[in-house]
Amino acid sequence: MARTVWDSTVGKKTVMAISGLVMLLYLVAHMIGNLKIFFGTEEFNHYAHWLRTVGEPFMHYEWTLWLIRVVLVVAVVAHAVSAYQLSRRDIRARPSKYVHRKKRADYATRTMRWGGVILGLFIVWHILDLTTGTVHPGGFESGKPYQNVVDTFSTWYGNAVYITAVLALGLHIRHGFWSAAQTLGAGSRTRDRALKTTANVLALLLTIGFVAVPVGVMTGVVS
């Protein structure tokens, strides 16, 4: 039954919608946590340490954090695979281009596809930069996330990569949230305006919230 659901277009869209909402919830929490950097080194580093001790003593050190990571990896893979397969299915269904193209729909589709690619590449870079320290500028210091963040956003390329990804994220959420609502049956003629407004507000708040950190470093508010 699960295979039958997955093989259907509706099933893939549902997987894409649910995995997208899981990632959206994480992004909201992640943004709120990031903003703690404006309260100083001790506050931010304490928050990073707290993430590793959530659930203790029932959960062992970092178990909750790793559980969250596993859920996110599953969500990202499910989202990407379903998006790719739906895209290929759409291309096979109409190998020749429409005579009259719907400009807004085409623009939204292109934005989602390229935005997804940009975000996928960014996730890899972000992990290598601030989690493993592999591509981190300067000396990566384990257990000192405040200094690591400042190091990253003290470079022009760190800011360029991060801000580009955040702008792509904003566009992705703006279209994706409304699309997910339609897929899950929450959309209707009376609720469409409210859903689109919610999507726009979420995209704007997340974009501003995430961009605030590199801007804070660049302006010297965070140093």
Side-chain angles (χ1 to χ4, degrees):
M1 184 177 180
R3 183 56 186 269
T4 301
V5 172
W6 170 248
D7 286 341
S8 69
T9 297
V10 173
K12 292 183 189 298
K13 286 184 176 180
T14 301
V15 169
M16 193 174 176
I18 294 174
S19 59
L21 292 176
V22 169
M23 290 187 287
L24 179 60
L25 289 173
Y26 166 77
L27 286 169
V28 172
H30 189 42
M31 180 200 70
I32 293 171
N34 281 0
L35 294 177
K36 288 180 178 290
I37 201 168
F38 290 100
F39 294 94
T41 307
E42 186 177 347
E43 177 82 11
F44 192 69
N45 287 347
H46 175 71
Y47 162 68
H49 175 72
W50 172 80
L51 287 175
R52 288 158 173 75
T53 60
V54 173
E56 288 188 341
F58 178 74
M59 298 291 280
H60 191 63
Y61 182 74
E62 285 196 344
W63 278 13
T64 301
L65 183 60
W66 274 106
L67 180 61
I68 293 171
R69 286 170 175 168
V70 169
V71 171
L72 283 173
V73 168
V74 172
V76 169
V77 171
H79 198 76
V81 171
S82 56
Y84 175 77
Q85 292 185 354
L86 283 169
S87 177
R88 300 303 302 172
R89 184 169 293 186
D90 182 53
I91 292 172
R92 287 196 300 269
R94 51 182 181 89
S96 59
K97 295 182 178 180
Y98 292 128
V99 176
H100 301 289
R101 300 177 66 187
K102 295 181 180 179
K103 293 183 179 179
R104 291 184 65 184
D106 287 347
Y107 173 75
T109 300
R110 288 198 303 271
T111 300
M112 291 295 286
R113 287 173 182 170
W114 284 109
V117 172
I118 291 171
L119 291 172
L121 294 174
F122 169 73
I123 289 172
V124 174
W125 177 82
H126 198 50
I127 291 172
L128 293 175
D129 178 29
L130 292 174
T131 301
T132 66
T134 307
V135 299
H136 186 74
F140 180 80
E141 299 182 74
S142 180
K144 296 184 178 180
Y146 184 96
Q147 187 57 48
N148 293 333
V149 170
V150 171
D151 287 344
T152 292
F153 297 131
S154 295
T155 63
W156 69 267
Y157 59 86
N159 290 312
V161 170
Y162 191 86
I163 292 174
T164 299
V166 169
L167 293 176
L169 175 67
L171 290 173
H172 207 75
I173 291 172
R174 182 174 178 270
H175 178 70
F177 179 84
W178 181 82
S179 180
Q182 303 302 311
T183 298
L184 297 176
S188 69
R189 185 172 297 179
T190 56
R191 289 195 291 264
D192 268 2
R193 179 173 294 182
L195 288 170
K196 287 181 179 179
T197 300
T198 302
N200 290 334
V201 170
L202 275 172
L204 182 62
L205 288 177
L206 285 168
T207 300
I208 293 174
F210 280 117
V211 168
V213 177
V215 170
V217 175
M218 284 189 286
T219 57
V221 174
V222 176
S223 62

